[in-house]
PDB file of all heavy atoms in Angstrom:
ATOM      1  N   LEU B 164     115.082 109.273  36.498  1.00 91.00           N
ATOM      2  CA  LEU B 164     116.024 109.511  35.434  1.00 91.00           C
ATOM      3  C   LEU B 164     116.287 110.966  35.153  1.00 91.00           C
ATOM      4  O   LEU B 164     117.171 111.351  34.367  1.00 91.00           O
ATOM      5  CB  LEU B 164     115.505 108.823  34.163  1.00 91.00           C
ATOM      6  CG  LEU B 164     115.348 107.346  34.230  1.00 91.00           C
ATOM      7  CD1 LEU B 164     114.762 106.808  32.894  1.00 91.00           C
ATOM      8  CD2 LEU B 164     116.680 106.693  34.462  1.00 91.00           C
ATOM      9  N   LEU B 165     115.445 111.827  35.772  1.00 92.00           N
ATOM     10  CA  LEU B 165     115.574 113.266  35.425  1.00 92.00           C
ATOM     11  C   LEU B 165     116.925 113.850  35.606  1.00 92.00           C
ATOM     12  O   LEU B 165     117.420 114.645  34.747  1.00 92.00           O
ATOM     13  CB  LEU B 165     114.544 114.077  36.298  1.00 92.00           C
ATOM     14  CG  LEU B 165     113.151 114.168  35.723  1.00 92.00           C
ATOM     15  CD1 LEU B 165     112.310 115.024  36.580  1.00 92.00           C
ATOM     16  CD2 LEU B 165     113.188 114.646  34.249  1.00 92.00           C
ATOM     17  N   PRO B 166     117.646 113.591  36.744  1.00 94.00           N
ATOM     18  CA  PRO B 166     118.961 114.263  36.860  1.00 94.00           C
ATOM     19  C   PRO B 166     119.888 114.005  35.665  1.00 94.00           C
ATOM     20  O   PRO B 166     120.696 114.810  35.316  1.00 94.00           O
ATOM     21  CB  PRO B 166     119.540 113.666  38.142  1.00 94.00           C
ATOM     22  CG  PRO B 166     118.360 113.239  38.885  1.00 94.00           C
ATOM     23  CD  PRO B 166     117.364 112.823  37.909  1.00 94.00           C
ATOM     24  N   TYR B 167     119.728 112.791  35.091  1.00 91.00           N
ATOM     25  CA  TYR B 167     120.615 112.471  33.970  1.00 91.00           C
ATOM     26  C   TYR B 167     120.281 113.204  32.729  1.00 91.00           C
ATOM     27  O   TYR B 167     121.169 113.524  31.933  1.00 91.00           O
ATOM     28  CB  TYR B 167     120.552 110.922  33.711  1.00 91.00           C
ATOM     29  CG  TYR B 167     121.602 110.438  32.801  1.00 91.00           C
ATOM     30  CD1 TYR B 167     122.937 110.480  33.202  1.00 91.00           C
ATOM     31  CD2 TYR B 167     121.324 109.981  31.528  1.00 91.00           C
ATOM     32  CE1 TYR B 167     123.950 110.024  32.327  1.00 91.00           C
ATOM     33  CE2 TYR B 167     122.282 109.531  30.673  1.00 91.00           C
ATOM     34  CZ  TYR B 167     123.593 109.573  31.101  1.00 91.00           C
ATOM     35  OH  TYR B 167     124.609 109.156  30.228  1.00 91.00           O
ATOM     36  N   VAL B 168     119.013 113.498  32.477  1.00 90.00           N
ATOM     37  CA  VAL B 168     118.664 114.160  31.241  1.00 90.00           C
ATOM     38  C   VAL B 168     118.611 115.669  31.360  1.00 90.00           C
ATOM     39  O   VAL B 168     118.677 116.365  30.413  1.00 90.00           O
ATOM     40  CB  VAL B 168     117.307 113.686  30.673  1.00 90.00           C
ATOM     41  CG1 VAL B 168     117.353 112.241  30.230  1.00 90.00           C
ATOM     42  CG2 VAL B 168     116.194 113.875  31.660  1.00 90.00           C
ATOM     43  N   ALA B 169     118.534 116.214  32.609  1.00 93.00           N
ATOM     44  CA  ALA B 169     118.478 117.634  32.787  1.00 93.00           C
ATOM     45  C   ALA B 169     119.755 118.321  32.324  1.00 93.00           C
ATOM     46  O   ALA B 169     120.838 117.727  32.448  1.00 93.00           O
ATOM     47  CB  ALA B 169     118.196 117.953  34.247  1.00 93.00           C
ATOM     48  N   PRO B 170     119.633 119.514  31.824  1.00 94.00           N
ATOM     49  CA  PRO B 170     120.852 120.242  31.358  1.00 94.00           C
ATOM     50  C   PRO B 170     121.811 120.472  32.501  1.00 94.00           C
ATOM     51  O   PRO B 170     121.380 120.828  33.598  1.00 94.00           O
ATOM     52  CB  PRO B 170     120.277 121.547  30.869  1.00 94.00           C
ATOM     53  CG  PRO B 170     118.853 121.310  30.579  1.00 94.00           C
ATOM     54  CD  PRO B 170     118.422 120.268  31.524  1.00 94.00           C
ATOM     55  N   VAL B 171     123.073 120.204  32.289  1.00 94.00           N
ATOM     56  CA  VAL B 171     124.055 120.287  33.348  1.00 94.00           C
ATOM     57  C   VAL B 171     124.178 121.675  33.886  1.00 94.00           C
ATOM     58  O   VAL B 171     124.354 121.891  35.085  1.00 94.00           O
ATOM     59  CB  VAL B 171     125.396 119.750  32.849  1.00 94.00           C
ATOM     60  CG1 VAL B 171     125.981 120.558  31.717  1.00 94.00           C
ATOM     61  CG2 VAL B 171     126.408 119.694  33.987  1.00 94.00           C
ATOM     62  N   VAL B 172     123.967 122.680  33.050  1.00 94.00           N
ATOM     63  CA  VAL B 172     124.113 124.079  33.559  1.00 94.00           C
ATOM     64  C   VAL B 172     123.030 124.387  34.486  1.00 94.00           C
ATOM     65  O   VAL B 172     123.233 124.974  35.575  1.00 94.00           O
ATOM     66  CB  VAL B 172     124.121 125.062  32.370  1.00 94.00           C
ATOM     67  CG1 VAL B 172     124.240 126.470  32.877  1.00 94.00           C
ATOM     68  CG2 VAL B 172     125.249 124.750  31.382  1.00 94.00           C
ATOM     69  N   ALA B 173     121.794 124.018  34.207  1.00 94.00           N
ATOM     70  CA  ALA B 173     120.682 124.266  35.144  1.00 94.00           C
ATOM     71  C   ALA B 173     120.862 123.519  36.398  1.00 94.00           C
ATOM     72  O   ALA B 173     120.700 123.996  37.516  1.00 94.00           O
ATOM     73  CB  ALA B 173     119.346 123.863  34.466  1.00 94.00           C
ATOM     74  N   ALA B 174     121.289 122.226  36.316  1.00 95.00           N
ATOM     75  CA  ALA B 174     121.481 121.407  37.486  1.00 95.00           C
ATOM     76  C   ALA B 174     122.557 122.019  38.427  1.00 95.00           C
ATOM     77  O   ALA B 174     122.343 122.128  39.642  1.00 95.00           O
ATOM     78  CB  ALA B 174     121.863 119.974  37.116  1.00 95.00           C
ATOM     79  N   THR B 175     123.690 122.403  37.852  1.00 94.00           N
ATOM     80  CA  THR B 175     124.739 122.948  38.693  1.00 94.00           C
ATOM     81  C   THR B 175     124.300 124.272  39.305  1.00 94.00           C
ATOM     82  O   THR B 175     124.632 124.598  40.426  1.00 94.00           O
ATOM     83  CB  THR B 175     126.053 123.165  37.895  1.00 94.00           C
ATOM     84  OG1 THR B 175     125.704 123.852  36.684  1.00 94.00           O
ATOM     85  CG2 THR B 175     126.690 121.863  37.558  1.00 94.00           C
ATOM     86  N   PHE B 176     123.534 125.057  38.555  1.00 94.00           N
ATOM     87  CA  PHE B 176     123.114 126.322  39.068  1.00 94.00           C
ATOM     88  C   PHE B 176     122.171 126.155  40.277  1.00 94.00           C
ATOM     89  O   PHE B 176     122.384 126.785  41.293  1.00 94.00           O
ATOM     90  CB  PHE B 176     122.374 127.127  37.946  1.00 94.00           C
ATOM     91  CG  PHE B 176     121.923 128.508  38.431  1.00 94.00           C
ATOM     92  CD1 PHE B 176     122.822 129.510  38.726  1.00 94.00           C
ATOM     93  CD2 PHE B 176     120.581 128.769  38.616  1.00 94.00           C
ATOM     94  CE1 PHE B 176     122.439 130.751  39.155  1.00 94.00           C
ATOM     95  CE2 PHE B 176     120.159 129.992  39.070  1.00 94.00           C
ATOM     96  CZ  PHE B 176     121.096 130.957  39.336  1.00 94.00           C
ATOM     97  N   VAL B 177     121.225 125.237  40.162  1.00 94.00           N
ATOM     98  CA  VAL B 177     120.351 124.999  41.284  1.00 94.00           C
ATOM     99  C   VAL B 177     121.107 124.468  42.442  1.00 94.00           C
ATOM    100  O   VAL B 177     120.891 124.919  43.601  1.00 94.00           O
ATOM    101  CB  VAL B 177     119.223 123.997  40.883  1.00 94.00           C
ATOM    102  CG1 VAL B 177     118.376 123.620  42.085  1.00 94.00           C
ATOM    103  CG2 VAL B 177     118.343 124.566  39.852  1.00 94.00           C
ATOM    104  N   TRP B 178     122.007 123.575  42.257  1.00 94.00           N
ATOM    105  CA  TRP B 178     122.792 123.029  43.377  1.00 94.00           C
ATOM    106  C   TRP B 178     123.579 124.174  44.001  1.00 94.00           C
ATOM    107  O   TRP B 178     123.677 124.237  45.239  1.00 94.00           O
ATOM    108  CB  TRP B 178     123.745 121.914  42.870  1.00 94.00           C
ATOM    109  CG  TRP B 178     123.090 120.561  42.925  1.00 94.00           C
ATOM    110  CD1 TRP B 178     122.056 120.207  42.159  1.00 94.00           C
ATOM    111  CD2 TRP B 178     123.414 119.481  43.775  1.00 94.00           C
ATOM    112  NE1 TRP B 178     121.701 118.890  42.499  1.00 94.00           N
ATOM    113  CE2 TRP B 178     122.550 118.442  43.437  1.00 94.00           C
ATOM    114  CE3 TRP B 178     124.406 119.284  44.745  1.00 94.00           C
ATOM    115  CZ2 TRP B 178     122.598 117.239  44.142  1.00 94.00           C
ATOM    116  CZ3 TRP B 178     124.461 118.069  45.458  1.00 94.00           C
ATOM    117  CH2 TRP B 178     123.597 117.032  45.071  1.00 94.00           C
ATOM    118  N   GLY B 179     124.142 125.064  43.166  1.00 92.00           N
ATOM    119  CA  GLY B 179     124.920 126.190  43.736  1.00 92.00           C
ATOM    120  C   GLY B 179     124.032 127.036  44.650  1.00 92.00           C
ATOM    121  O   GLY B 179     124.502 127.465  45.683  1.00 92.00           O
ATOM    122  N   VAL B 180     122.817 127.279  44.230  1.00 91.00           N
ATOM    123  CA  VAL B 180     121.929 128.099  45.051  1.00 91.00           C
ATOM    124  C   VAL B 180     121.514 127.321  46.296  1.00 91.00           C
ATOM    125  O   VAL B 180     121.446 127.845  47.396  1.00 91.00           O
ATOM    126  CB  VAL B 180     120.701 128.581  44.234  1.00 91.00           C
ATOM    127  CG1 VAL B 180     119.708 129.295  45.094  1.00 91.00           C
ATOM    128  CG2 VAL B 180     121.128 129.398  43.104  1.00 91.00           C
ATOM    129  N   MET B 181     121.182 126.047  46.142  1.00 91.00           N
ATOM    130  CA  MET B 181     120.810 125.227  47.294  1.00 91.00           C
ATOM    131  C   MET B 181     121.842 125.201  48.360  1.00 91.00           C
ATOM    132  O   MET B 181     121.583 125.194  49.546  1.00 91.00           O
ATOM    133  CB  MET B 181     120.524 123.793  46.854  1.00 91.00           C
ATOM    134  CG  MET B 181     119.143 123.496  46.389  1.00 91.00           C
ATOM    135  SD  MET B 181     118.938 121.889  45.531  1.00 91.00           S
ATOM    136  CE  MET B 181     119.918 120.819  46.575  1.00 91.00           C
ATOM    137  N   LEU B 182     123.119 125.171  47.901  1.00 91.00           N
ATOM    138  CA  LEU B 182     124.213 125.086  48.847  1.00 91.00           C
ATOM    139  C   LEU B 182     124.797 126.442  49.266  1.00 91.00           C
ATOM    140  O   LEU B 182     125.775 126.513  50.003  1.00 91.00           O
ATOM    141  CB  LEU B 182     125.363 124.207  48.196  1.00 91.00           C
ATOM    142  CG  LEU B 182     124.958 122.814  47.836  1.00 91.00           C
ATOM    143  CD1 LEU B 182     126.054 122.109  47.080  1.00 91.00           C
ATOM    144  CD2 LEU B 182     124.587 121.983  49.085  1.00 91.00           C
ATOM    145  N   ASN B 183     124.162 127.470  48.773  1.00 87.00           N
ATOM    146  CA  ASN B 183     124.666 128.851  49.062  1.00 87.00           C
ATOM    147  C   ASN B 183     124.672 129.121  50.600  1.00 87.00           C
ATOM    148  O   ASN B 183     123.726 128.777  51.257  1.00 87.00           O
ATOM    149  CB  ASN B 183     123.734 129.827  48.386  1.00 87.00           C
ATOM    150  CG  ASN B 183     124.180 131.260  48.569  1.00 87.00           C
ATOM    151  OD1 ASN B 183     124.391 131.741  49.587  1.00 87.00           O
ATOM    152  ND2 ASN B 183     124.386 131.919  47.382  1.00 87.00           N
ATOM    153  N   PRO B 184     125.790 129.605  51.133  1.00 86.00           N
ATOM    154  CA  PRO B 184     125.847 129.833  52.561  1.00 86.00           C
ATOM    155  C   PRO B 184     124.869 130.919  53.089  1.00 86.00           C
ATOM    156  O   PRO B 184     124.508 130.875  54.255  1.00 86.00           O
ATOM    157  CB  PRO B 184     127.336 130.296  52.815  1.00 86.00           C
ATOM    158  CG  PRO B 184     128.042 129.966  51.555  1.00 86.00           C
ATOM    159  CD  PRO B 184     127.018 129.960  50.447  1.00 86.00           C
ATOM    160  N   GLN B 185     124.534 131.916  52.272  1.00 84.00           N
ATOM    161  CA  GLN B 185     123.650 132.954  52.770  1.00 84.00           C
ATOM    162  C   GLN B 185     122.187 132.574  52.761  1.00 84.00           C
ATOM    163  O   GLN B 185     121.513 132.681  53.744  1.00 84.00           O
ATOM    164  CB  GLN B 185     123.817 134.247  51.910  1.00 84.00           C
ATOM    165  CG  GLN B 185     124.919 135.073  52.364  1.00 84.00           C
ATOM    166  CD  GLN B 185     126.155 134.898  51.493  1.00 84.00           C
ATOM    167  OE1 GLN B 185     126.086 134.782  50.312  1.00 84.00           O
ATOM    168  NE2 GLN B 185     127.319 134.777  52.169  1.00 84.00           N
ATOM    169  N   PHE B 186     121.666 132.115  51.586  1.00 83.00           N
ATOM    170  CA  PHE B 186     120.229 131.864  51.522  1.00 83.00           C
ATOM    171  C   PHE B 186     119.897 130.513  50.996  1.00 83.00           C
ATOM    172  O   PHE B 186     118.775 130.250  50.662  1.00 83.00           O
ATOM    173  CB  PHE B 186     119.505 132.948  50.745  1.00 83.00           C
ATOM    174  CG  PHE B 186     120.096 133.182  49.389  1.00 83.00           C
ATOM    175  CD1 PHE B 186     119.770 132.366  48.378  1.00 83.00           C
ATOM    176  CD2 PHE B 186     120.956 134.250  49.177  1.00 83.00           C
ATOM    177  CE1 PHE B 186     120.280 132.610  47.078  1.00 83.00           C
ATOM    178  CE2 PHE B 186     121.505 134.444  47.910  1.00 83.00           C
ATOM    179  CZ  PHE B 186     121.170 133.682  46.853  1.00 83.00           C
ATOM    180  N   GLY B 187     120.863 129.610  50.896  1.00 85.00           N
ATOM    181  CA  GLY B 187     120.619 128.267  50.391  1.00 85.00           C
ATOM    182  C   GLY B 187     119.855 127.439  51.384  1.00 85.00           C
ATOM    183  O   GLY B 187     119.998 127.580  52.601  1.00 85.00           O
ATOM    184  N   ILE B 188     119.019 126.582  50.839  1.00 87.00           N
ATOM    185  CA  ILE B 188     118.085 125.811  51.707  1.00 87.00           C
ATOM    186  C   ILE B 188     118.859 124.820  52.584  1.00 87.00           C
ATOM    187  O   ILE B 188     118.449 124.568  53.736  1.00 87.00           O
ATOM    188  CB  ILE B 188     117.054 125.111  50.843  1.00 87.00           C
ATOM    189  CG1 ILE B 188     115.993 124.404  51.697  1.00 87.00           C
ATOM    190  CG2 ILE B 188     117.654 124.100  49.888  1.00 87.00           C
ATOM    191  CD1 ILE B 188     115.077 125.343  52.419  1.00 87.00           C
ATOM    192  N   VAL B 189     119.958 124.292  52.054  1.00 88.00           N
ATOM    193  CA  VAL B 189     120.625 123.265  52.827  1.00 88.00           C
ATOM    194  C   VAL B 189     121.251 123.875  54.113  1.00 88.00           C
ATOM    195  O   VAL B 189     121.083 123.317  55.175  1.00 88.00           O
ATOM    196  CB  VAL B 189     121.773 122.622  51.990  1.00 88.00           C
ATOM    197  CG1 VAL B 189     122.595 121.671  52.778  1.00 88.00           C
ATOM    198  CG2 VAL B 189     121.170 121.889  50.774  1.00 88.00           C
ATOM    199  N   ASN B 190     121.891 125.003  53.970  1.00 86.00           N
ATOM    200  CA  ASN B 190     122.448 125.674  55.126  1.00 86.00           C
ATOM    201  C   ASN B 190     121.343 126.156  56.086  1.00 86.00           C
ATOM    202  O   ASN B 190     121.491 126.179  57.321  1.00 86.00           O
ATOM    203  CB  ASN B 190     123.355 126.748  54.742  1.00 86.00           C
ATOM    204  CG  ASN B 190     124.727 126.313  54.452  1.00 86.00           C
ATOM    205  OD1 ASN B 190     125.329 125.596  55.245  1.00 86.00           O
ATOM    206  ND2 ASN B 190     125.212 126.588  53.257  1.00 86.00           N
ATOM    207  N   GLU B 191     120.214 126.538  55.509  1.00 85.00           N
ATOM    208  CA  GLU B 191     119.125 127.025  56.309  1.00 85.00           C
ATOM    209  C   GLU B 191     118.608 125.889  57.203  1.00 85.00           C
ATOM    210  O   GLU B 191     118.489 126.020  58.416  1.00 85.00           O
ATOM    211  CB  GLU B 191     118.001 127.520  55.359  1.00 85.00           C
ATOM    212  CG  GLU B 191     116.800 128.180  56.039  1.00 85.00           C
ATOM    213  CD  GLU B 191     117.226 129.471  56.704  1.00 85.00           C
ATOM    214  OE1 GLU B 191     118.306 130.046  56.317  1.00 85.00           O
ATOM    215  OE2 GLU B 191     116.491 129.940  57.536  1.00 85.00           O
ATOM    216  N   VAL B 192     118.393 124.763  56.554  1.00 84.00           N
ATOM    217  CA  VAL B 192     117.967 123.541  57.345  1.00 84.00           C
ATOM    218  C   VAL B 192     119.067 123.128  58.306  1.00 84.00           C
ATOM    219  O   VAL B 192     118.721 122.812  59.495  1.00 84.00           O
ATOM    220  CB  VAL B 192     117.633 122.424  56.360  1.00 84.00           C
ATOM    221  CG1 VAL B 192     117.426 121.103  57.129  1.00 84.00           C
ATOM    222  CG2 VAL B 192     116.398 122.730  55.552  1.00 84.00           C
TER     223      VAL B 192
END
Side-chain angles (χ1 to χ4, degrees):
Chain B
L164 298 178
L165 274 185
Y167 191 67
V168 294
V171 62
V172 179
T175 48
F176 182 69
V177 174
W178 271 67
V180 175
M181 271 168 43
L182 300 172
N183 185 302
Q185 275 97 45
F186 52 83
I188 184 71
V189 175
N190 276 307
E191 189 65 19
V192 169

